[in-house]
């Protein structure tokens, strides 16, 4: 009899947790972590490509070292930030990660524009292959980032809505950080890699 009462109590508790959104928190929390992992993976893939890109560009005689140095420094800064699942719940760490990736995107974009002035480098097969791989990675970053944004939006709606917000408070499920509008606009634009003819200089 006691066993039946205990099972009934557990069943009632399970139903109560399900009704107050506990299971939804579990599901959406895992979804945000999974989406975030893909964002990090794609940024790491870009960082790995940049290593090869820099090595190729270094082979070009008289290439503008200042532009190349900024890419190297930005990459070093972006990869030095330790990213863990806890980053999602740390506003300051999340903003630092965003800012570092944004700086790398900007430096990389400037590098690609500068390459326009080096026809031998543009014709380099290795550089061309890296450019194509980089374009693909930038697209994957955009897709992964958008999926993360959507996952966090769903999670945050649950965390801020009544009565599930009470469940979140009890179990420590707080709203998660998301890409800010300003930062999203800055980092969602892939570096310009158009290698068409440069416009004629004005006279």
């Amino acid at each position: 009899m006691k066993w039946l009462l205990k099972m009934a109590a557990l069943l009632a508790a399970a139903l109560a947790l399900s009704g107050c959104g506990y299971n939804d928190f579990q599901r959406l929390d895992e979804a945000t972590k999974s989406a975030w992992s893909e964002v990090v993976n794609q940024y790491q893939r870009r960082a790995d490509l940049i290593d090869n890109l820099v090595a190729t560009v270094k082979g070009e005689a008289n290439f503008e070292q200042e532009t190349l140095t900024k890419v190297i420094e930005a990459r070093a800064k972006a990869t030095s930030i330790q990213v863990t699942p806890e980053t999602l719940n740390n506003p300051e760490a999340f903003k630092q990660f965003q800012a570092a990736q944004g700086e790398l995107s900007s430096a990389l974009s400037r590098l690609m524009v500068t390459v326009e002035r080096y026809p031998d480098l543009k014709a380099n097969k290795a550089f061309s292959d890296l450019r194509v791989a980089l374009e693909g990675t930038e697209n994957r970053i955009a897709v992964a980032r958008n999926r993360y944004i959507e996952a966090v939006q769903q999670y945050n709606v649950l965390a801020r809505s009544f009565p599930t917000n009470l469940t979140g408070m009890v179990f420590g499920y707080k709203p998660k950080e998301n890409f800010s509008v300003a930062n999203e606009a800055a980092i969602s634009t892939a570096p310009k890699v158009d290698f068409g003819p440069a416009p004629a200089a004005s006279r």
Side-chain angles (χ1 to χ4, degrees):
M1 187 67 178
K2 289 182 178 180
W3 180 82
L4 289 175
L5 290 174
K6 183 179 290 187
M7 289 299 296
L10 289 173
L11 180 60
L15 290 173
L17 287 174
S18 177
C20 65
Y22 178 80
N23 289 340
D24 289 330
F25 271 114
Q26 297 292 314
R27 176 175 57 82
L28 295 179
D29 186 50
E30 288 303 317
T32 58
K33 290 177 181 177
S34 176
W36 176 249
S37 294
E38 184 59 20
V39 170
V40 174
N41 286 341
Q42 294 305 330
Y43 274 129
Q44 183 59 53
R45 185 173 188 273
R46 180 174 72 169
D48 294 340
L49 284 172
I50 289 174
D51 267 352
N52 293 330
L53 186 71
V54 167
T56 303
V57 173
K58 278 183 176 179
E60 176 67 23
N62 302 318
F63 190 83
E64 297 178 22
Q65 290 303 307
E66 182 181 357
T67 301
L68 194 58
T69 298
K70 287 181 179 179
V71 171
I72 295 171
E73 291 175 347
R75 182 199 179 281
K77 182 176 180 180
T79 56
S80 69
I81 298 177
Q82 297 297 315
V83 180
T84 65
E86 286 68 38
T87 303
L88 305 183
N89 302 316
N90 185 330
E92 190 58 35
F94 191 85
K95 289 176 182 177
Q96 288 178 356
F97 175 81
Q98 290 185 84
Q101 294 297 340
E103 288 177 16
L104 180 53
S105 292
S106 296
L108 190 55
S109 181
R110 288 192 295 271
L111 174 65
M112 291 303 186
V113 171
T114 303
V115 165
E116 289 294 326
R117 297 194 286 271
Y118 296 85
D120 290 343
L121 182 57
K122 287 165 55 177
N124 183 300
K125 177 67 165 55
F127 182 84
S128 179
D129 291 345
L130 285 168
R131 174 184 62 82
V132 172
L134 186 61
E135 286 178 326
T137 300
E138 291 293 343
N139 289 334
R140 292 188 185 96
I141 287 173
V143 171
R145 191 173 52 243
N146 287 337
R147 287 176 178 167
Y148 173 74
I149 290 170
E150 292 173 1
V152 170
Q153 285 176 339
Q154 293 181 41
Y155 173 92
N156 285 349
V157 167
L158 186 70
R160 293 184 174 121
S161 299
F162 181 83
T164 51
N165 64 329
L166 301 179
T167 303
M169 290 172 61
V170 171
F171 291 97
Y173 287 107
K174 300 178 182 179
K176 296 181 184 293
E177 287 297 309
N178 212 337
F179 290 105
S180 63
V181 175
N183 189 71
E184 176 66 9
I187 66 177
S188 63
T189 303
K192 295 183 181 301
V193 288
D194 180 10
F195 287 88
S202 58
R203 296 183 178 180

